[in-house]
Amino acid sequence: MRKILIVGAGQAGLQLALGLQSNGYDVTLMSNRTADEIRVGRVMSTQCMFDPALQHERDQEVNFWESQTPRIEGLGVSVAGPDGSRPIDWVGHLDGYAQSVDQRVKMAGWMETFAQRGGQVVIHGAAVSDLDWFARTFDLVLIAAGKGELVSMFERDPERSPFSTPQRALAVSYVNGLGPRPEHDFLAVRCNLVPGVGELFIMPCLTTTGPCDILFWEGIPDGPLDVFQGVKDPNEHLRLTLELMEQFTPWEYERAAKVELTDAGGTLSGRYAPTVRRPVGELPSGGLVLGVADVVVANDPITGQGSNSAAKCAASYLSSILEHGDRPFDREFMQGAFDSYWEQAAPVTKWTNAMLMPPPEHVLGIIGAGMGSQAVRDRFANGFAHPEDFENWFFDPERAAAYLALVNAG
């Protein structure tokens, strides 16, 4: 039986561990926190997962919370005017619903399931020096911990990483008491674009206390939304969130004026530079480790693809490992496994990096066209589930014009 070590207990690490375990591999999972510590800790992300990523969980039969989690059936876009108005406001319908499960719920539950099924869980914050020994003990070592010292083993890929500094300052609040949007009677992710300032995303979620909503600001660094650094008090964090909503997105503030945090750990802030890294890390002893998900492809959350990409990476790596059989997990295998995943990750990275920049004229035209066309709205919304489709109509002005002409003619 082949022995595999996975360092990191997030979406990708745990999904991959459970998948390998169900296929008869001897898997050890290393986490710096226990399941209980994760469950009572601070929120870790916003994690809105669209249908293709959710399907990977269904395929492994680890979609334990699907029946309890709010079903997100649409994705709406609003653009703020300088006077607090909404010159653009529409919603597209998703072909398959999306869902967001607080990672404190999912990761704690998955870790306990992995252990109950006979997997070994080691609670230890691994350092590079530890991995030297592990690389000699296991057939394959995968690094799925996207922060800290271990990431430094993976060299930045400058050709795929156009940004060297953070492009957004991030601030998340999990809340109860948010009122409905009167424009539609189904649940939707709401994307509020404030030109030159940043974005506010609002999405339904399942947290440790039940259904809730997430308020998520993405602010251009040094701009008016970049005010959360150093804020430690969760209530102060929420107060700032609401003040900014009242100023920049008053239509959202109207339904959020009476919200409360779900719990004391329901806030998160930070920033990081979007980075693609080379997938193979080399240890001081010469041993090799393979980077997983946001260890090697860390995109900004502006397009909501983090947990989706993690699920797709785990599924892709699982397939590569199963297909590899008993052959050595050498550098060639590791690079090939990443290259297979990159076919899915490349469109996400291109789209996400584009959305971080001021929109070109033809993209403004697409967003504006959504006001008069349900087809445009739906295609944009479903791009969050299938980012590869944006290549066909979104990036290139001529393709965008041809698509909009076709829509108008129809």
Side-chain angles (χ1 to χ4, degrees):
M1 186 183 297
R2 310 204 77 181
K3 296 178 62 178
I4 295 179
L5 172 66
I6 299 175
V7 181
Q11 173 77 38
L14 276 161
Q15 182 183 316
L16 183 54
L18 288 162
L20 290 167
Q21 183 184 55
S22 68
N23 280 277
Y25 286 77
D26 180 356
V27 185
T28 297
L29 179 76
M30 185 171 289
S31 170
N32 63 354
R33 293 189 293 169
T34 66
D36 285 340
E37 287 171 338
I38 291 170
R39 191 176 281 115
V40 301
R42 186 172 293 279
V43 295
M44 294 176 277
S45 67
T46 52
Q47 77 280 310
C48 182
M49 296 181 67
F50 296 88
D51 184 63
L54 293 175
Q55 189 59 47
H56 289 308
E57 297 185 0
R58 298 178 191 123
D59 291 343
Q60 287 189 208
E61 299 182 351
V62 294
N63 55 324
F64 303 144
W65 303 273
E66 186 162 5
S67 63
Q68 337 166 208
T69 304
R71 294 189 175 190
I72 300 168
E73 297 179 324
L75 185 138
V77 174
S78 299
V79 178
D83 57 353
S85 64
R86 265 184 298 171
I88 291 177
D89 182 52
W90 48 257
V91 62
H93 299 287
L94 294 170
D95 293 337
Y97 60 79
Q99 291 187 312
S100 173
V101 178
D102 184 342
Q103 290 197 346
R104 295 178 297 180
V105 174
K106 185 188 290 186
M107 301 314 134
W110 277 0
M111 188 184 293
E112 290 168 342
T113 298
F114 175 76
Q116 289 163 3
R117 293 176 178 176
Q120 183 176 3
V121 178
V122 177
I123 305 303
H124 177 66
V128 172
S129 55
D130 299 317
L131 297 181
D132 258 332
W133 184 81
F134 290 126
R136 295 191 295 269
T137 309
F138 290 85
D139 296 302
L140 175 63
V141 176
L142 298 122
I143 307 301
K147 299 175 183 175
E149 174 191 346
L150 300 185
V151 178
S152 65
M153 290 190 297
F154 300 92
E155 180 187 356
R156 178 176 180 268
D157 186 339
E159 292 184 3
R160 293 171 170 171
S161 305
F163 304 114
S164 58
T165 59
Q167 298 300 296
R168 292 293 188 274
L170 317 174
V172 172
S173 300
Y174 280 53
V175 299
N176 292 322
L178 185 71
R181 279 292 289 265
E183 297 92 336
H184 47 78
D185 59 1
F186 54 88
L187 296 179
V189 173
R190 298 298 314 196
C191 307
N192 298 277
L193 313 179
V194 187
V197 175
E199 300 82 24
L200 172 69
F201 300 92
I202 301 180
M203 68 196 73
C205 179
L206 178 73
T207 188
T208 55
T209 55
C212 70
D213 287 279
I214 300 172
L215 311 176
F216 176 27
W217 276 115
E218 285 228 353
I220 295 174
D222 301 320
L225 304 180
D226 189 4
V227 295
F228 291 90
Q229 274 190 301
V231 176
K232 303 297 184 185
D233 179 17
N235 291 314
E236 175 67 7
H237 180 110
L238 179 60
R239 185 188 67 78
L240 287 170
T241 296
L242 295 175
E243 280 188 1
L244 294 168
M245 290 174 67
E246 185 176 22
Q247 180 179 356
F248 293 107
T249 58
W251 59 90
E252 300 288 19
Y253 177 76
E254 288 174 6
R255 63 191 188 113
K258 297 181 180 180
V259 299
E260 298 177 337
L261 291 174
T262 56
D263 62 283
T267 61
L268 176 69
S269 63
R271 65 187 73 202
Y272 61 89
T275 307
V276 177
R277 298 180 180 90
R278 305 196 191 281
V280 183
E282 187 165 339
L283 298 167
S285 64
L288 303 178
V289 295
L290 174 60
V292 181
D294 60 357
V295 170
V296 286
V297 184
N299 290 310
D300 188 276
I302 192 168
T303 54
Q305 295 298 300
S307 55
N308 294 271
S309 293
K312 293 172 183 177
C313 183
S316 179
Y317 277 20
L318 175 62
S319 178
S320 293
I321 292 169
L322 296 180
E323 290 173 5
H324 199 61
D326 294 329
R327 288 170 287 168
F329 293 117
D330 53 15
R331 182 184 291 273
E332 183 180 1
F333 162 78
M334 294 180 180
Q335 185 65 53
F338 173 78
D339 290 344
S340 294
Y341 166 57
W342 180 248
E343 291 179 10
Q344 299 179 71
V348 174
T349 299
K350 180 176 180 177
W351 173 46
T352 304
N353 289 342
M355 293 299 288
L356 289 168
M357 303 301 291
E361 195 67 31
H362 75 277
V363 170
L364 294 175
I366 289 171
I367 294 173
M371 287 292 286
S373 170
Q374 190 65 51
V376 173
R377 301 172 204 168
D378 292 351
R379 189 168 189 182
F380 182 81
N382 284 287
F384 283 73
H386 301 281
E388 66 279 3
D389 183 48
F390 285 114
E391 191 68 47
N392 301 320
W393 70 291
F394 189 80
F395 296 121
D396 180 76
E398 292 184 2
R399 289 186 177 183
Y403 169 68
L404 293 180
L406 190 63
V407 168
N408 292 332

